[in-house]
Amino acid sequence: MSSVVPFSPQNRHVVMTLYRRSLKLAKDWINRRDHYRIKAMEIRAQFDLYKDVGNPKELRALIEKTEDMLAKYKHPDPFISPTRPGGTKFERYVPPSLDKPLPYNY
C-alpha cells in the first residue's frame, strides 16, 4: 500500500485485517477463554484509541507499527482448527474416488 487515504474503504479493509490478525495471534498465545477475552478487549481498546487518525503519515506509521508487532509476536506453532487444512481431522475420512478403477480385480 503506497499511499494511505484515511477513512477510505481500502484503509478500513487494512485496519480490519490487522484487527482480525491481532485477535487470531492473541488466541494462538492464550488458550484460556477468560484470559483471551480480557486480551481481546485490550486489543479493541487499542484500535479504538486510534480510530480517528486523519493524518496519512501518522496512519501509515501506525499500520507499519502494528504489522511489525504482529511479525514480532508471531506464534511458532499457531492454532489450527481441526477441520481446516493442516488440522488434525482434515480429510481424515475421505470417501474413495470413483473416477479411477481399482488396481486389482476382486
Side-chain angles (χ1 to χ4, degrees):
M1 200 161 92
S2 60
S3 65
V4 178
V5 179
F7 310 112
S8 68
Q10 293 84 9
N11 179 48
R12 181 178 174 177
H13 178 72
V14 169
V15 173
M16 286 190 319
T17 303
L18 289 173
Y19 178 66
R20 196 174 312 122
R21 286 175 51 199
S22 299
L23 290 177
K24 287 181 182 179
L25 183 65
K27 193 169 187 170
D28 287 343
W29 285 103
I30 303 169
N31 58 1
R32 286 187 50 187
R33 178 77 177 164
D34 53 341
H35 293 297
Y36 167 73
R37 187 68 190 131
I38 293 169
K39 186 64 176 176
M41 289 189 304
E42 291 173 6
I43 291 170
R44 178 60 187 249
Q46 191 72 20
F47 273 81
D48 283 344
L49 185 63
Y50 297 109
K51 72 178 180 181
D52 295 325
V53 173
N55 183 358
K57 290 182 182 179
E58 187 178 351
L59 187 60
R60 185 67 180 147
L62 286 170
I63 290 172
E64 288 177 1
K65 178 183 171 189
T66 305
E67 288 175 346
D68 291 342
M69 286 182 66
L70 288 172
K72 178 180 176 183
Y73 293 113
K74 185 177 183 206
H75 197 280
D77 188 20
F79 176 77
I80 300 172
S81 178
T83 56
R84 301 285 300 165
T88 57
K89 286 182 165 179
F90 182 68
E91 293 185 346
R92 181 178 286 183
Y93 299 111
V94 179
S97 173
L98 301 176
D99 296 337
K100 297 178 184 176
L102 294 172
Y104 304 105
N105 287 332
Y106 288 104

